[in-house]
Amino acid sequence: MIGYYYRRGRGDDAFAVFESTPDTRSNWDPNIQHGSPPLALMTKLVEDATAGSGQRIGRLAMDILGPVPVAPLWARTWVERPGTRIALHAAELLAQRPDGGRRPVARLHAWLLATSDTADVAGDRHPPLTEGAAVPVDHGWLGAPGYLETVDWRAQRSEPGADAVSWLTPRSAVVEGEEPTPLQRLAAVVDSANGIGAVLDPRRFVFMNTDTVVHLHRLPRGTDFAVRARASIGPDGIGVTTAEVYDRDGCVGSSAQTLLVQRMG
């Protein structure tokens, strides 16, 4: 790991505090965070809170409630729907307002389900992806400091009009001094599906996602992940990016993101 997105600060009984590092900076605006670090942090909070429960995360749904500043964040988790077979957990990040109060900036809801042995019937409709030689990608974000520098990106060759594929390896830890799980590593890159599957030029359009929803039919393994994605743009300034997500062993799930599409200038 070459760095970390957050370091722990001094919290209290209600909230943990995380100091945001420059590694979280967005390619859209250096004063706000890319969506991946908050998703990875809230995933870590839920995983930590549910360790040993006999359940595992089957869905992650992050809503971005406002710009997430590169600043201290207050974090909390709670149980919305308890259960031994099915449970709904939530995590939330808050930032300080100019008046000293706090505003929610991101919220995660995670469905956890009890695990059992279904190895004899396991299967997937998508075959594994094999990484090929990386190809150069010319886009308006090249050289943007911050989050984009913390991921090793290997775009793959694809036919015109086909879904775009990139292999990604996160190189920063989520929290200083704490080894991320494979799911936290995946959460640190899956929000990038919007950029990987972009069909618009970021020099002419803004297409920021308001959410990221990930369904996982199995937990990821390792440190390398592939995202196969493509955006669909509607006629009224709204779009959706959908993707399949892979590790070296095959497909682990899918993701979807709602897009606000606006012309520059």
Side-chain angles (χ1 to χ4, degrees):
M1 312 305 283
I2 63 170
Y4 48 88
Y5 297 124
Y6 305 98
R7 65 174 66 90
R8 288 188 181 270
R10 181 174 297 178
D12 54 35
D13 292 340
F15 293 92
V17 174
F18 294 91
E19 305 281 345
S20 306
T21 73
D23 281 358
T24 64
R25 289 180 295 178
S26 169
N27 44 288
W28 292 111
D29 183 338
N31 296 309
I32 64 175
Q33 297 191 30
H34 189 278
S36 289
L39 176 57
L41 177 59
M42 291 188 290
T43 299
K44 174 179 172 55
L45 296 175
V46 171
E47 280 201 307
D48 289 351
T50 59
S53 67
Q55 300 174 327
R56 67 98 165 159
I57 293 172
R59 190 206 70 177
L60 296 166
M62 175 181 69
D63 290 304
I64 301 172
L65 306 178
V68 183
V70 183
L73 299 174
W74 286 260
R76 62 175 183 148
T77 61
W78 67 94
V79 180
E80 290 217 348
R81 194 273 194 191
T84 56
R85 290 196 303 168
I86 300 173
L88 182 63
H89 288 252
E92 185 177 59
L93 301 177
L94 300 92
Q96 191 168 36
R97 297 196 307 256
D99 64 5
R102 298 171 190 167
R103 61 179 177 89
V105 292
R107 189 174 295 133
L108 178 76
H109 285 92
W111 280 111
L112 281 86
L113 299 92
T115 59
S116 62
D117 185 0
T118 53
D120 60 320
V121 294
D124 184 70
R125 62 192 177 97
H126 300 294
L129 289 182
T130 300
E131 182 174 356
V135 299
V137 177
D138 179 21
H139 59 69
W141 293 319
L142 289 177
Y147 170 78
L148 296 187
E149 298 177 312
T150 71
V151 177
D152 182 17
W153 308 80
R154 285 100 65 195
Q156 304 292 287
R157 187 175 303 279
S158 60
E159 296 298 322
D163 293 356
V165 177
S166 282
W167 280 90
L168 310 96
T169 304
R171 299 187 297 167
S172 284
V174 181
V175 175
E176 179 186 22
E178 301 179 27
E179 185 69 15
T181 66
L183 180 55
Q184 292 164 30
R185 294 176 190 269
L186 175 63
V189 299
V190 71
D191 185 83
S192 299
N194 181 29
I196 293 168
V199 295
L200 299 175
D201 186 343
R203 291 164 290 202
R204 298 178 54 214
F205 291 90
V206 174
F207 43 95
M208 297 180 69
N209 57 294
T210 62
D211 60 0
T212 296
V213 181
V214 184
H215 290 88
L216 299 161
H217 61 269
R218 71 167 172 86
L219 286 176
R221 294 185 282 264
T223 61
D224 301 319
F225 308 102
V227 174
R228 180 168 60 196
R230 186 168 177 83
S232 297
I233 308 299
D236 56 357
I238 299 171
V240 175
T241 296
T242 56
E244 290 90 40
V245 185
Y246 298 77
D247 62 14
R248 293 292 187 190
D249 297 324
C251 185
V252 301
S254 61
S255 71
Q257 298 165 295
T258 310
L259 310 180
L260 172 67
V261 182
Q262 294 182 317
R263 296 181 186 274
M264 294 281 201

